[in-house]
């Protein structure tokens, strides 16, 4: 019996996921495969590297630093997340990824990215972060539209996986897992609204497929949510989502808000731990 784990993105809302995954590690919840989207990939990879508490630690240590992410990085580099700081200095020196544990862990890990030419999602298996291409795929998964330059890997250009497949429920259900856990980062009543269609045309006029994908994102997202809710009612999947709203920004510098989002993930996972274990024993 194999268990798959789907991790939604959401920038700093991903601290919720970090709290959930730390509880999973503390309670030896075994996962066989993970699909992460955007922050779900950036933060979720720490489950495979078995680095309990790392996500909260480095976000609290560096959230207030202009080197980490924000307006200064966007203006000076074109990327709201500073490439040199986040994907070199941080992962190699300041709070290093345990590359050996990551590579040797049993879980299969996939990052969702959006191909800007096709506007379609791609699911990239990442098994060794010493491979610079794999780090770039991870970076691409979290490269937010309008705030990031496309990431080129092996001749293809990518942006945030959440553009094309925010909640890849169809993908994970097709991968042969007997049980599936879904971690969302918005409360149950949330639905995405239609966004301004002018911005994609201004930013991505050379990529008509990407423009179409961005403009239809709200529809796809809400359809995926409905599918998740239906599968949850049928007890085919197990869903964790924030039990209340935390007013946290996509780029949050308030350390109390960061802690609050993480703590809510821990709280919700702990409260549902018994029912999760029952689901996994079916």
């Amino acid at each position: 019996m194999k268990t798959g784990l789907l991790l939604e993105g959401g920038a700093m809302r991903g601290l919720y996921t970090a709290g959930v995954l730390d509880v999973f590690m503390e309670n030896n919840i075994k996962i066989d495969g993970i699909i992460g989207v955007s922050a779900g990939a950036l933060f979720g990879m720490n489950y495979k590297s078995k680095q309990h508490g790392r996500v909260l630690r480095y976000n609290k240590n560096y959230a207030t630093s202009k080197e980490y992410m924000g307006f200064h990085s966007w203006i000076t580099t074109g990327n709201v997340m500073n490439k040199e700081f986040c994907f070199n200095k941080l992962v190699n020196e300041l709070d290093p990824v345990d590359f050996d544990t990551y590579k040797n862990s049993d879980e299969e890990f996939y990052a969702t990215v959006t191909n800007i030419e096709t506007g379609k999602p791609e699911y990239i298996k990442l098994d060794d972060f010493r491979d610079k291409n794999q780090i770039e795929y991870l970076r691409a998964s979290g490269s937010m539209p309008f705030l990031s330059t496309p990431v080129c890997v092996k001749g293809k250009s990518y942006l945030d996986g959440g553009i094309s497949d925010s909640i890849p429920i169809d993908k994970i259900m097709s991968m042969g897992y007997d049980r599936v856990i879904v971690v969302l980062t918005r409360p149950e009543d949330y639905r995405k609204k239609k966004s301004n269609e002018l911005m994609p045309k201004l930013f991505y006029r050379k990529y008509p497929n990407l423009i179409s994908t961005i403009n239809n994102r709200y529809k796809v997202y809400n359809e995926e949510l409905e599918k998740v809710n239906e599968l949850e009612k049928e007890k085919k999947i197990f869903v964790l989502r924030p039990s209340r709203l935390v007013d946290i920004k996509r780029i949050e510098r308030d350390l109390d808000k960061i802690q609050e989002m993480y703590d809510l993930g821990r709280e919700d996972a702990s409260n549902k731990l018994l029912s999760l274990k029952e689901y996994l024993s079916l």
Side-chain angles (χ1 to χ4, degrees):
M1 299 286 281
K2 289 190 173 184
T3 301
L5 176 63
L6 188 165
L7 306 175
E8 184 188 8
M12 294 298 262
R13 293 197 315 275
L15 268 296
Y16 178 85
T17 301
V20 169
L21 295 184
D22 280 354
V23 170
F24 282 12
M25 281 189 263
E26 291 164 11
N27 290 275
N28 299 311
I29 301 298
K30 179 174 171 50
I31 303 297
D32 298 286
I34 302 168
I35 295 181
V37 183
S38 193
L42 293 171
F43 295 168
M45 51 79 55
N46 293 276
Y47 180 92
K48 183 169 167 61
S49 65
K50 302 296 180 279
Q51 290 179 276
H52 181 282
R54 179 174 179 267
V55 174
L56 178 66
R57 183 174 62 244
Y58 75 70
N59 275 287
K60 291 191 76 172
N61 283 342
Y62 302 111
T64 58
S65 170
K66 68 178 183 180
E67 285 188 274
Y68 181 28
M69 61 179 176
F71 182 74
H72 180 266
S73 177
W74 183 53
I75 290 297
T76 56
T77 72
N79 293 293
V80 70
M81 291 183 65
N82 187 291
K83 176 184 175 181
E84 173 61 24
F85 184 88
C86 295
F87 297 96
N88 182 15
K89 195 172 180 180
L90 180 62
V91 302
N92 291 304
E93 300 171 20
L94 297 175
D95 203 327
V97 171
D98 187 335
F99 295 105
D100 289 334
T101 296
Y102 183 92
K103 184 176 180 179
N104 295 324
S105 293
D106 292 334
E107 302 88 2
E108 293 187 335
F109 188 90
Y110 297 84
T112 307
V113 296
T114 299
N115 184 312
I116 68 171
E117 291 282 355
T118 66
K120 301 292 185 183
E122 295 181 18
Y123 311 93
I124 311 296
K125 186 177 180 180
L126 304 180
D127 52 22
D128 186 359
F129 281 134
R130 287 196 175 92
D131 182 332
K132 290 183 179 179
N133 284 334
Q134 294 204 8
I135 282 284
E136 286 293 271
Y137 282 125
L138 183 68
R139 185 167 76 89
S141 186
S143 292
M144 292 182 278
F146 314 119
L147 298 175
S148 310
T149 57
V151 178
C152 185
V153 190
K154 297 182 179 180
K156 296 181 180 181
S157 294
Y158 300 99
L159 281 171
D160 196 318
I163 297 170
S164 56
D165 200 355
S166 296
I167 310 172
I169 187 65
D170 286 338
K171 178 63 178 178
I172 200 166
M173 296 299 287
S174 73
M175 294 175 71
Y177 295 115
D178 303 287
R179 296 153 304 202
V180 170
I181 304 167
V182 177
V183 181
L184 303 177
T185 59
R186 298 227 191 233
E188 189 170 7
D189 60 354
Y190 176 79
R191 293 297 181 275
K192 194 173 287 294
K193 296 178 181 179
K194 186 176 182 179
S195 58
N196 188 314
E197 295 188 358
L198 179 60
M199 279 188 66
K201 291 178 181 178
L202 292 174
F203 274 79
Y204 303 117
R205 57 186 179 277
K206 294 181 180 179
Y207 306 103
N209 293 323
L210 182 64
I211 292 171
S212 178
T213 297
I214 293 173
N215 288 337
N216 285 300
R217 184 185 179 192
Y218 77 102
K219 291 181 184 177
V220 174
Y221 182 89
N222 292 338
E223 288 169 359
E224 289 179 331
L225 267 184
E226 292 306 320
K227 184 167 290 188
V228 165
N229 291 340
E230 197 60 39
L231 290 168
E232 182 184 24
K233 288 177 185 176
E234 296 171 358
K235 302 188 184 303
K236 292 180 179 177
I237 66 173
F238 190 93
V239 182
L240 281 159
R241 53 168 68 83
S243 55
R244 58 181 173 81
L245 178 66
V246 175
D247 184 21
I248 189 168
K249 299 181 180 70
R250 293 176 68 80
I251 300 171
E252 184 61 74
R253 301 191 186 282
D254 186 329
L255 302 187
D256 290 336
K257 291 287 186 182
I258 288 171
Q259 185 72 53
E260 182 183 4
M261 197 77 208
Y262 171 83
D263 288 345
L264 182 60
R266 289 192 58 88
E267 177 186 327
D268 289 348
S270 298
N271 288 341
K272 290 199 170 185
L273 192 60
L274 181 59
S275 55
L276 174 60
K277 288 181 176 180
E278 289 173 351
Y279 169 75
L280 294 177
S281 67
L282 294 176

XYZ file of all heavy atoms in Angstrom, residues 153-231:
654
model
N 15.565 25.830 -18.304
C 16.228 24.564 -17.996
C 16.150 23.667 -19.228
O 15.059 23.412 -19.746
C 15.571 23.842 -16.795
C 16.437 22.661 -16.354
C 15.329 24.781 -15.632
N 17.296 23.230 -19.698
C 17.378 22.322 -20.842
C 16.604 22.853 -22.048
O 15.887 22.117 -22.729
C 16.875 20.926 -20.456
C 17.710 20.247 -19.386
C 17.195 18.853 -19.071
C 18.062 18.175 -18.016
N 17.567 16.802 -17.705
N 16.722 24.154 -22.281
C 16.132 24.762 -23.461
C 14.663 25.112 -23.358
O 14.084 25.636 -24.311
N 14.037 24.859 -22.211
C 12.637 25.213 -22.001
C 12.545 26.249 -20.881
O 13.367 26.240 -19.963
C 11.798 23.986 -21.632
C 11.711 22.933 -22.709
C 10.824 21.780 -22.243
C 10.694 20.692 -23.296
N 9.825 19.586 -22.843
N 11.538 27.109 -20.966
C 11.372 28.166 -19.966
C 10.125 27.916 -19.125
O 9.069 27.563 -19.661
C 11.283 29.537 -20.644
O 12.509 29.854 -21.262
N 10.278 28.134 -17.823
C 9.216 27.780 -16.882
C 8.937 28.905 -15.891
O 9.801 29.736 -15.597
C 9.615 26.541 -16.076
C 9.876 25.313 -16.902
C 11.180 24.932 -17.225
C 8.828 24.510 -17.356
C 11.435 23.789 -17.965
C 9.070 23.362 -18.092
C 10.371 23.013 -18.400
O 10.624 21.884 -19.143
N 7.706 28.871 -15.368
C 7.312 29.702 -14.237
C 6.560 28.836 -13.230
O 6.452 27.610 -13.395
C 6.435 30.873 -14.710
C 7.158 32.071 -15.342
C 6.146 33.044 -15.957
C 8.043 32.799 -14.318
N 6.044 29.482 -12.226
C 5.304 28.881 -11.113
C 4.330 27.787 -11.561
O 3.487 28.006 -12.426
C 4.531 30.005 -10.420
C 4.018 29.637 -9.050
O 3.520 28.520 -8.882
O 4.104 30.492 -8.151
N 4.432 26.623 -10.944
C 3.524 25.527 -11.261
C 2.078 25.833 -10.932
O 1.162 25.246 -11.521
N 1.862 26.753 -9.986
C 0.495 27.092 -9.605
C -0.288 27.792 -10.695
O -1.523 27.836 -10.647
N 0.393 28.317 -11.703
C -0.304 28.971 -12.809
C -1.170 27.962 -13.550
O -2.322 28.235 -13.892
C 0.708 29.601 -13.797
C 1.531 30.689 -13.116
C -0.019 30.169 -15.023
C 2.712 31.170 -13.964
N -0.626 26.787 -13.811
C -1.302 25.807 -14.662
C -1.960 24.670 -13.899
O -2.904 24.046 -14.393
C -0.304 25.217 -15.668
O 0.816 24.658 -14.991
N -1.468 24.357 -12.687
C -2.057 23.254 -11.925
C -1.813 23.478 -10.438
O -0.923 22.880 -9.833
C -1.473 21.917 -12.369
C -2.360 20.739 -11.992
O -3.378 20.958 -11.308
O -2.046 19.595 -12.385
N -2.635 24.330 -9.849
C -2.459 24.702 -8.442
C -2.669 23.530 -7.497
O -2.007 23.436 -6.460
C -3.424 25.831 -8.069
O -3.142 26.999 -8.795
N -3.610 22.663 -7.850
C -3.922 21.498 -7.000
C -3.960 20.276 -7.921
O -5.034 19.886 -8.392
C -5.274 21.668 -6.271
C -5.350 23.026 -5.579
C -5.485 20.548 -5.259
C -6.729 23.358 -5.007
N -2.823 19.659 -8.215
C -2.774 18.586 -9.220
C -3.397 17.269 -8.749
O -2.746 16.237 -8.658
C -1.276 18.448 -9.512
C -0.589 18.975 -8.306
C -1.479 20.049 -7.746
N -4.693 17.348 -8.474
C -5.397 16.183 -7.943
C -5.526 15.086 -8.995
O -5.377 13.896 -8.687
C -6.789 16.588 -7.361
C -7.450 15.418 -6.645
C -7.682 17.199 -8.433
C -6.721 14.960 -5.409
N -5.776 15.465 -10.259
C -5.880 14.447 -11.306
C -4.551 13.720 -11.479
O -4.524 12.492 -11.654
C -6.306 15.073 -12.639
C -7.772 15.457 -12.660
O -8.543 14.898 -11.854
O -8.151 16.322 -13.472
N -3.459 14.475 -11.439
C -2.141 13.869 -11.615
C -1.840 12.870 -10.520
O -1.443 11.725 -10.797
C -1.074 14.972 -11.654
C 0.350 14.451 -11.793
C 0.556 13.706 -13.103
C 2.005 13.243 -13.247
N 2.211 12.472 -14.492
N -2.023 13.269 -9.274
C -1.648 12.366 -8.187
C -2.579 11.147 -8.119
O -2.137 10.047 -7.787
C -1.573 13.100 -6.833
C -0.717 12.283 -5.851
C -2.968 13.406 -6.272
C -0.297 13.043 -4.613
N -3.846 11.333 -8.499
C -4.774 10.203 -8.496
C -4.453 9.213 -9.609
O -4.887 8.063 -9.562
C -6.217 10.696 -8.624
C -6.707 11.541 -7.466
S -6.703 10.700 -5.850
C -8.095 9.581 -6.058
N -3.701 9.662 -10.603
C -3.345 8.783 -11.726
C -2.040 8.030 -11.498
O -1.635 7.220 -12.334
C -3.215 9.611 -13.015
O -2.026 10.389 -13.003
N -1.379 8.277 -10.381
C -0.031 7.749 -10.174
C 0.012 6.430 -9.404
O 1.092 5.939 -9.068
C 0.826 8.807 -9.473
C 1.065 10.040 -10.340
S 1.962 11.365 -9.494
C 3.609 10.650 -9.391
N -1.150 5.866 -9.128
C -1.188 4.532 -8.538
C -1.076 4.468 -7.032
O -0.862 3.388 -6.470
N -1.246 5.596 -6.345
C -1.216 5.569 -4.886
C -2.527 5.013 -4.350
O -3.604 5.311 -4.860
C -0.976 6.970 -4.326
C 0.378 7.532 -4.692
C 0.481 8.646 -5.510
C 1.547 6.935 -4.232
C 1.729 9.165 -5.861
C 2.792 7.443 -4.579
C 2.878 8.557 -5.400
O 4.102 9.052 -5.750
N -2.415 4.214 -3.299
C -3.612 3.616 -2.688
C -4.333 4.624 -1.800
O -5.552 4.552 -1.630
C -3.211 2.395 -1.855
C -2.461 1.364 -2.687
O -3.102 0.700 -3.505
O -1.226 1.260 -2.528
N -3.565 5.542 -1.228
C -4.130 6.576 -0.361
C -3.471 7.894 -0.713
O -2.276 7.928 -1.058
C -3.876 6.232 1.114
C -4.575 4.952 1.562
C -3.865 4.289 2.701
N -2.471 4.004 2.403
C -1.750 3.078 3.037
N -2.292 2.353 3.987
N -0.479 2.888 2.728
N -4.234 8.967 -0.614
C -3.718 10.286 -0.983
C -4.066 11.297 0.107
O -5.225 11.389 0.535
C -4.292 10.755 -2.335
C -3.935 12.221 -2.596
C -3.770 9.883 -3.478
N -3.056 12.026 0.554
C -3.242 13.121 1.500
C -3.062 14.431 0.738
O -2.086 14.591 -0.005
C -2.213 13.060 2.647
C -2.280 11.704 3.359
C -2.443 14.202 3.635
C -1.094 11.459 4.290
N -3.981 15.360 0.913
C -3.913 16.659 0.257
C -3.791 17.739 1.332
O -4.604 17.781 2.261
C -5.161 16.927 -0.605
C -5.107 18.324 -1.219
C -5.290 15.871 -1.703
N -2.782 18.585 1.200
C -2.619 19.711 2.126
C -2.862 21.004 1.354
O -2.092 21.358 0.458
C -1.223 19.740 2.772
C -1.120 20.923 3.746
C -0.935 18.426 3.502
N -3.958 21.679 1.695
C -4.305 22.966 1.082
C -3.857 24.092 2.009
O -3.590 23.860 3.192
C -5.812 23.043 0.841
C -6.412 21.925 -0.025
C -7.925 22.089 -0.123
C -5.775 21.913 -1.412
N -3.813 25.301 1.484
C -3.334 26.428 2.298
C -4.365 27.541 2.447
O -4.053 28.629 2.916
C -2.027 27.002 1.724
O -2.244 27.455 0.381
C -0.917 25.960 1.742
N -5.604 27.257 2.042
C -6.710 28.206 2.234
C -7.845 27.501 2.964
O -8.045 26.293 2.807
C -7.212 28.700 0.896
C -6.148 29.474 0.097
C -6.740 30.734 -0.422
N -5.928 31.426 -1.376
C -5.594 32.702 -1.273
N -5.978 33.378 -0.207
N -4.882 33.302 -2.211
N -8.636 28.263 3.744
C -9.778 27.663 4.441
C -10.800 27.090 3.469
O -10.795 27.380 2.269
C -10.366 28.848 5.233
C -9.233 29.811 5.379
C -8.434 29.672 4.114
N -11.709 26.300 3.987
C -12.644 25.517 3.177
C -13.541 26.371 2.295
O -13.923 25.962 1.194
C -13.505 24.641 4.091
C -14.348 23.637 3.351
C -14.996 22.629 4.278
O -14.899 22.798 5.516
O -15.599 21.668 3.771
N -13.904 27.566 2.742
C -14.862 28.375 1.982
C -14.206 29.226 0.892
O -14.895 29.958 0.176
C -15.666 29.276 2.921
C -14.781 30.249 3.709
O -13.535 30.148 3.615
O -15.334 31.110 4.421
N -12.901 29.134 0.735
C -12.219 29.975 -0.250
C -12.501 29.508 -1.680
O -12.490 28.309 -1.964
C -10.706 29.968 -0.020
C -9.952 30.753 -1.090
C -9.891 32.140 -1.050
C -9.348 30.090 -2.163
C -9.231 32.854 -2.032
C -8.675 30.805 -3.156
C -8.627 32.182 -3.085
O -7.978 32.886 -4.064
N -12.748 30.487 -2.568
C -12.815 30.224 -4.004
C -12.080 31.359 -4.711
O -12.173 32.510 -4.318
C -14.264 30.145 -4.503
C -15.060 28.949 -3.980
C -14.503 27.633 -4.425
N -15.287 26.489 -3.944
C -15.134 25.909 -2.758
N -14.225 26.393 -1.891
N -15.873 24.865 -2.415
N -11.376 31.013 -5.759
C -10.591 32.011 -6.482
C -11.498 32.825 -7.401
O -12.395 32.275 -8.047
C -9.470 31.332 -7.282
C -8.407 32.308 -7.779
C -7.238 31.565 -8.419
C -6.378 30.862 -7.409
N -5.666 31.800 -6.500
N -11.236 34.131 -7.489
C -12.020 35.022 -8.345
C -11.264 35.322 -9.635
O -10.042 35.218 -9.699
C -12.328 36.325 -7.603
C -13.204 36.126 -6.368
C -13.424 37.442 -5.648
C -14.278 37.236 -4.395
N -14.489 38.501 -3.650
N -12.020 35.720 -10.638
C -11.427 36.082 -11.926
C -10.503 37.275 -11.741
O -10.826 38.232 -11.048
C -12.538 36.414 -12.922
C -12.055 36.669 -14.333
C -13.229 36.894 -15.286
C -12.749 37.105 -16.707
N -13.878 37.290 -17.653
N -9.341 37.211 -12.381
C -8.366 38.283 -12.240
C -8.364 39.194 -13.462
O -8.989 38.894 -14.489
C -6.961 37.696 -12.034
O -6.621 36.866 -13.130
N -7.656 40.300 -13.348
C -7.537 41.267 -14.441
C -6.839 40.623 -15.639
O -5.728 40.086 -15.506
C -6.743 42.485 -13.943
C -6.728 43.620 -14.954
O -6.504 43.406 -16.133
N -6.959 44.837 -14.474
N -7.456 40.688 -16.815
C -6.893 40.035 -17.991
C -5.873 40.899 -18.728
O -5.212 40.428 -19.662
C -8.011 39.619 -18.949
C -8.928 38.553 -18.366
C -9.917 38.015 -19.381
O -9.904 38.500 -20.534
O -10.685 37.107 -19.029
N -5.721 42.153 -18.323
C -4.789 43.043 -19.005
C -3.336 42.736 -18.655
O -2.467 42.748 -19.530
C -5.116 44.502 -18.660
C -4.202 45.566 -19.296
C -4.279 45.484 -20.827
C -4.597 46.957 -18.813
N -3.067 42.459 -17.380
C -1.686 42.240 -16.955
C -0.994 41.103 -17.699
O 0.142 41.256 -18.162
C -1.623 42.015 -15.438
C -1.660 43.300 -14.632
S -1.342 43.027 -12.874
C 0.357 42.464 -12.911
N -1.629 39.943 -17.839
C -0.960 38.874 -18.604
C -0.615 39.288 -20.034
O 0.448 38.922 -20.548
C -1.989 37.738 -18.583
C -2.809 37.991 -17.376
C -2.892 39.478 -17.248
N -1.499 40.060 -20.652
C -1.227 40.511 -22.026
C -0.041 41.464 -22.072
O 0.742 41.456 -23.031
C -2.475 41.190 -22.603
C -3.632 40.233 -22.864
C -4.849 40.975 -23.397
C -6.009 40.018 -23.621
N -7.226 40.724 -24.085
N 0.096 42.301 -21.052
C 1.205 43.236 -20.999
C 2.536 42.532 -20.735
O 3.558 42.852 -21.346
C 0.954 44.289 -19.922
C -0.181 45.282 -20.178
C -0.385 46.169 -18.959
C 0.121 46.138 -21.407
N 2.511 41.563 -19.828
C 3.741 40.892 -19.418
C 4.160 39.772 -20.373
O 5.355 39.545 -20.570
C 3.572 40.306 -18.006
C 3.869 41.273 -16.900
C 2.944 42.218 -16.520
C 5.079 41.222 -16.229
C 3.211 43.112 -15.480
C 5.363 42.111 -15.198
C 4.420 43.058 -14.830
N 3.166 39.065 -20.928
C 3.485 37.818 -21.642
C 2.896 37.792 -23.057
O 2.428 36.760 -23.526
C 2.975 36.626 -20.828
C 3.542 36.581 -19.433
C 2.708 36.703 -18.314
C 4.909 36.436 -19.224
C 3.233 36.669 -17.026
C 5.438 36.409 -17.936
C 4.602 36.526 -16.852
O 5.130 36.494 -15.581
N 2.966 38.922 -23.745
C 2.339 39.017 -25.062
C 2.934 38.036 -26.073
O 2.289 37.688 -27.059
C 2.423 40.445 -25.594
C 3.823 41.004 -25.705
C 3.807 42.477 -26.111
N 5.132 43.061 -26.200
C 5.807 43.533 -25.156
N 5.256 43.485 -23.954
N 7.018 44.054 -25.312
N 4.166 37.587 -25.838
C 4.804 36.624 -26.747
C 4.362 35.189 -26.479
O 4.725 34.279 -27.234
C 6.329 36.708 -26.614
C 6.927 38.026 -27.074
C 8.439 37.993 -26.933
C 9.061 39.300 -27.388
N 10.550 39.288 -27.226
N 3.582 34.988 -25.420
C 3.216 33.636 -25.004
C 1.698 33.509 -24.858
O 1.164 33.522 -23.743
C 3.906 33.286 -23.687
C 5.407 33.468 -23.753
C 6.018 34.592 -23.166
C 6.209 32.550 -24.412
C 7.393 34.771 -23.235
C 7.588 32.715 -24.490
C 8.168 33.830 -23.900
O 9.529 34.011 -23.980
N 0.978 33.392 -25.976
C -0.490 33.362 -25.930
C -1.049 32.195 -25.115
O -2.092 32.330 -24.476
C -0.898 33.266 -27.399
C 0.318 32.756 -28.113
C 1.486 33.302 -27.367
N -0.368 31.052 -25.136
C -0.860 29.914 -24.353
C -0.762 30.179 -22.856
O -1.648 29.797 -22.077
C -0.069 28.646 -24.705
C -0.332 28.180 -26.120
O -1.447 28.274 -26.609
N 0.687 27.673 -26.777
N 0.315 30.860 -22.466
C 0.468 31.219 -21.054
C -0.589 32.229 -20.635
O -1.173 32.120 -19.546
C 1.869 31.779 -20.803
C 2.188 32.156 -19.357
C 2.166 30.933 -18.458
C 3.547 32.867 -19.277
N -0.854 33.208 -21.496
C -1.901 34.200 -21.207
C -3.238 33.509 -20.966
O -3.945 33.810 -19.998
C -2.016 35.215 -22.362
C -0.770 36.094 -22.432
C -3.263 36.095 -22.195
C -0.706 36.980 -23.663
N -3.580 32.580 -21.829
C -4.844 31.851 -21.692
C -4.893 31.070 -20.386
O -5.916 31.057 -19.686
C -5.016 30.907 -22.882
O -6.199 30.154 -22.754
N -3.780 30.438 -20.054
C -3.718 29.656 -18.812
C -3.901 30.544 -17.590
O -4.647 30.205 -16.663
C -2.379 28.903 -18.726
O -2.295 27.978 -19.816
C -2.269 28.133 -17.420
N -3.233 31.701 -17.584
C -3.363 32.616 -16.449
C -4.801 33.110 -16.321
O -5.364 33.154 -15.216
C -2.392 33.804 -16.597
C -0.948 33.335 -16.481
C -2.692 34.872 -15.545
C 0.082 34.411 -16.783
N -5.413 33.465 -17.438
C -6.770 34.008 -17.395
C -7.807 32.973 -16.992
O -8.871 33.336 -16.465
C -7.130 34.618 -18.747
C -6.390 35.924 -19.012
O -5.944 36.597 -18.077
N -6.253 36.296 -20.277
N -7.518 31.709 -17.231
C -8.458 30.643 -16.874
C -8.114 29.966 -15.552
O -8.785 29.019 -15.149
C -8.506 29.587 -17.982
C -9.276 30.071 -19.195
O -10.457 30.391 -19.110
N -8.606 30.139 -20.333
N -7.088 30.473 -14.903
C -6.622 29.813 -13.686
C -7.705 29.700 -12.625
O -7.830 28.684 -11.955
C -5.413 30.588 -13.118
C -4.803 29.926 -11.907
C -3.695 30.758 -11.299
N -3.145 30.118 -10.116
C -2.325 30.711 -9.261
N -1.948 31.954 -9.471
N -1.884 30.065 -8.203
N -8.489 30.750 -12.476
C -9.518 30.742 -11.426
C -10.531 29.623 -11.652
O -10.984 28.969 -10.701
C -10.215 32.108 -11.330
C -11.246 32.394 -12.402
C -12.603 32.274 -12.144
C -10.855 32.768 -13.688
C -13.546 32.533 -13.122
C -11.789 33.038 -14.668
C -13.127 32.910 -14.392
O -14.068 33.153 -15.367
N -10.886 29.387 -12.919
C -11.840 28.317 -13.223
C -11.258 26.955 -12.882
O -11.899 26.117 -12.235
C -12.215 28.345 -14.715
C -13.048 29.527 -15.158
C -13.353 29.399 -16.641
C -14.118 30.610 -17.162
N -14.352 30.515 -18.629
N -10.035 26.726 -13.340
C -9.377 25.440 -13.108
C -9.193 25.202 -11.617
O -9.457 24.103 -11.110
C -8.020 25.390 -13.839
C -7.256 24.110 -13.491
C -8.220 25.484 -15.348
N -8.768 26.243 -10.911
C -8.547 26.119 -9.471
C -9.835 25.727 -8.749
O -9.851 24.798 -7.928
C -8.024 27.439 -8.912
C -7.713 27.404 -7.432
C -6.457 27.031 -6.979
C -8.675 27.737 -6.484
C -6.163 26.987 -5.621
C -8.404 27.702 -5.127
C -7.142 27.329 -4.701
O -6.864 27.281 -3.351
N -10.915 26.418 -9.055
C -12.180 26.136 -8.381
C -12.724 24.752 -8.748
O -13.318 24.075 -7.911
C -13.206 27.221 -8.715
C -12.831 28.564 -8.117
O -12.067 28.637 -7.143
N -13.347 29.644 -8.675
N -12.506 24.330 -9.989
C -12.900 22.983 -10.396
C -12.100 21.928 -9.632
O -12.639 20.897 -9.204
C -12.704 22.797 -11.902
C -13.723 23.556 -12.742
C -13.365 23.584 -14.223
O -12.299 23.021 -14.592
O -14.124 24.192 -15.001
N -10.810 22.194 -9.454
C -9.976 21.249 -8.705
C -10.410 21.188 -7.245
O -10.423 20.105 -6.633
C -8.506 21.650 -8.825
C -7.944 21.397 -10.214
C -6.501 21.807 -10.370
O -6.052 22.753 -9.660
O -5.802 21.209 -11.203
N -10.764 22.330 -6.678
C -11.259 22.334 -5.298
C -12.525 21.489 -5.156
O -12.672 20.739 -4.188
C -11.567 23.768 -4.861
C -10.482 24.552 -4.140
C -11.019 25.901 -3.713
C -9.943 23.799 -2.932
N -13.436 21.631 -6.120
C -14.669 20.845 -6.068
C -14.368 19.358 -6.151
O -14.996 18.539 -5.471
C -15.613 21.267 -7.202
C -16.175 22.676 -7.054
C -16.852 22.910 -5.712
O -17.561 21.999 -5.225
O -16.662 24.000 -5.130
N -13.396 19.001 -6.984
C -13.018 17.585 -7.104
C -12.416 17.080 -5.798
O -12.731 15.958 -5.354
C -12.034 17.405 -8.253
C -11.648 15.952 -8.512
C -10.938 15.770 -9.840
C -11.886 15.979 -10.995
N -11.271 15.626 -12.305
N -11.573 17.898 -5.175
C -10.993 17.527 -3.886
C -12.089 17.316 -2.850
O -12.089 16.334 -2.095
C -9.992 18.612 -3.415
C -9.666 18.446 -1.930
C -8.724 18.564 -4.243
N -13.053 18.234 -2.803
C -14.145 18.122 -1.831
C -14.971 16.860 -2.052
O -15.377 16.194 -1.096
C -15.043 19.359 -1.913
C -14.352 20.612 -1.409
O -13.372 20.542 -0.678
N -14.854 21.771 -1.802
N -15.210 16.525 -3.313
C -15.995 15.331 -3.635
C -15.246 14.066 -3.228
O -15.819 13.148 -2.625
C -16.298 15.302 -5.146
C -17.422 14.358 -5.542
C -18.755 14.705 -4.892
O -19.081 15.898 -4.763
O -19.464 13.750 -4.492
N -13.974 14.008 -3.551
C -13.168 12.843 -3.192
C -13.043 12.703 -1.678
O -13.014 11.589 -1.141
C -11.786 12.947 -3.826
C -11.730 12.776 -5.349
C -10.356 13.187 -5.883
C -12.046 11.336 -5.751
